[in-house]
Structures are given as structure tokens and as C-alpha cells.
Amino acid sequence: MSDEHPTGHEAGISGGRVPVHPQPKGRLRSEARMFGTMWIVVAGLVAWLAFGFVREPAASWPERWIACCLACCFAAPMIGTRGYRKTLPALDRTPRQATVTGHVHFDVDPDSDSDTPAYDLLEVRVDIDGVQVDTTIADIVAAESLARFAVGSVWDVYAFEDPAELNNDHGTRVILAEAHEDVIRSGYDLGTYVLHQEPGPGSDLLLRRFANDRRARKAAAS
């Protein structure tokens, strides 16, 4: 698709080194550590709440409410996204050609306190079983690779077996195939679940668990 080389340690003009982007497995481990830390915080707050009932003097009700609210704030996003972090809908790993039809820019309210970065999603048209389908690439392509996705450019993607399972924002999703591992991503947007990461090449999304993985392994072994 492109003659660009994956980003890595390259000698600079002055003999310096270009820092390596984190690889897909490293990004997965980083996410697991982050959520693991959040669960530890929740467990600590719950333990403090329980201990507050038996210690002397007992924890005051304002203290209990504060600890309870903090535990809920940490636990809610983890519980809400657990299904997508554990098992994603069945993925059809048949490479399909997707033609870029446009970009959609997502930004946050400048008056809000959110630290979520602005990002672009790529709209594409894919031939699925003889039907032209307008959909969106779930990978959030980083700014340094975004220029490669000009309108009319063609990319290999995978589609979900049942697009309706991720049709929560009135749009479906496809995923960039392994043929484009040199593309720098900064997360992904599955409609219901959006994850922003440190930019890096390759797809940690394809390393996650899909509902049909066991069926695919059995078919490959037979």
C-alpha cells in the first residue's frame, strides 16, 4: 500500500536516535496494568469502608460517602467496558478492500475539563459479499500516518460477522488488516468503547479476544 517503513530506531542526521513507538503487545500490557491499578484502588477503598465500621472510632458518614463515591468512579468505567476488553464480537478475518471516502473529526468541548485528545475516524466503502457498505475504520490513525489515507486510497480491512453488534452510534466498524502494521495508531473507536493510547505501529485490537476465535482455531487445525 505504501513504501513507508515502520517507525523504529533510526539514525538521525546528527547521529541521534528516533524513539521507538510502543508495539501492540506493549500497549496491551500497558492497558492491563492501568486497569489492574484501578481495581487495586477500588479494592482498597472497599476494604477501608468495611474496616470503617469496626474500627474505633468508626468512620464518619461523610468519610464513607466520599470513599463510596471514589470507588464507584473507578469501578464504573471498568465494569462498563469489561465486555469489550475481554471478548469482542465475532470477526471475519477475510481481507476486504476498503476505499476511503472521507474523514470525520471528533473534538471535545473546549469548556469541558476532559483531557481526551481530538482525533479523526476514517470513513470507507467496503464490498461485503457483493454489497457496497459504508462503514468506519475502528483504528484511530495517528496524525503522522493520517495523510496516507487520502480519499480514494484503498486499504485491506476485516469486517465483523454481525455489523449490528457494534452499531451503537448509528455506524458500523471495520479493522485495518495486518498488511498495514506500519500504520501508526493512537487507539481505537468501537462506537461504545473508545480507547486512546500512546501512538504506535500495528494493531493491538487484532490481538484481543473475539467471540469466534475458538471456532477459527478449530477450523485451522482440521
Side-chain angles (χ1 to χ4, degrees):
M1 180 64 214
S2 170
D3 60 359
E4 280 191 21
H5 298 291
T7 303
H9 268 334
E10 301 171 356
I13 295 176
S14 60
R17 309 285 286 183
V18 176
V20 170
H21 286 297
Q23 298 299 309
K25 289 183 179 179
R27 297 200 296 274
L28 271 182
R29 286 193 294 267
S30 177
E31 180 190 333
R33 285 194 298 269
M34 179 185 70
F35 280 105
T37 300
M38 291 173 73
W39 276 121
I40 291 172
V41 171
V42 171
L45 289 168
V46 171
W48 185 92
L49 277 171
F51 181 67
F53 283 99
V54 297
R55 69 179 173 86
E56 291 293 340
S60 67
W61 279 108
E63 290 176 326
R64 293 171 185 173
W65 278 114
I66 291 172
C68 186
C69 289
L70 287 173
C72 290
C73 289
F74 277 99
M78 294 185 291
I79 294 172
T81 62
R82 185 172 182 177
Y84 287 96
R85 287 186 288 110
K86 293 295 183 182
T87 304
L88 290 165
L91 184 69
D92 180 0
R93 292 181 183 261
T94 302
R96 306 176 188 275
Q97 290 198 325
T99 303
V100 177
T101 58
H103 295 196
V104 178
H105 185 72
F106 290 85
D107 209 343
V108 296
D109 184 347
D111 296 327
S112 73
D113 295 328
S114 174
D115 58 356
T116 301
Y119 63 98
D120 287 79
L121 287 183
L122 298 157
E123 294 184 323
V124 293
R125 182 163 295 152
V126 187
D127 186 322
I128 299 180
D129 300 327
V131 178
Q132 294 294 316
V133 177
D134 290 318
T135 183
T136 303
I137 293 177
D139 308 72
I140 298 176
V141 177
E144 55 203 285
S145 289
L146 198 58
R148 296 170 55 187
F149 289 80
V151 172
S153 60
V154 179
W155 301 81
D156 291 334
V157 299
Y158 296 136
F160 289 94
E161 289 187 359
D162 181 6
E165 290 200 55
L166 288 174
N167 197 13
N168 295 295
D169 62 348
H170 307 291
T172 57
R173 296 290 189 270
V174 293
I175 302 174
L176 285 173
E178 292 91 348
H180 309 302
E181 287 292 271
D182 59 326
V183 172
I184 308 299
R185 287 108 158 151
S186 59
Y188 54 87
D189 182 322
L190 290 171
T192 296
Y193 180 36
V194 180
L195 176 67
H196 295 278
Q197 305 166 309
E198 185 179 352
S203 176
D204 64 283
L205 188 52
L206 290 176
L207 298 178
R208 294 173 184 272
R209 187 182 305 166
F210 294 87
N212 60 332
D213 283 349
R214 184 176 298 178
R215 174 169 24 113
R217 286 194 295 268
K218 286 183 178 179
S222 62

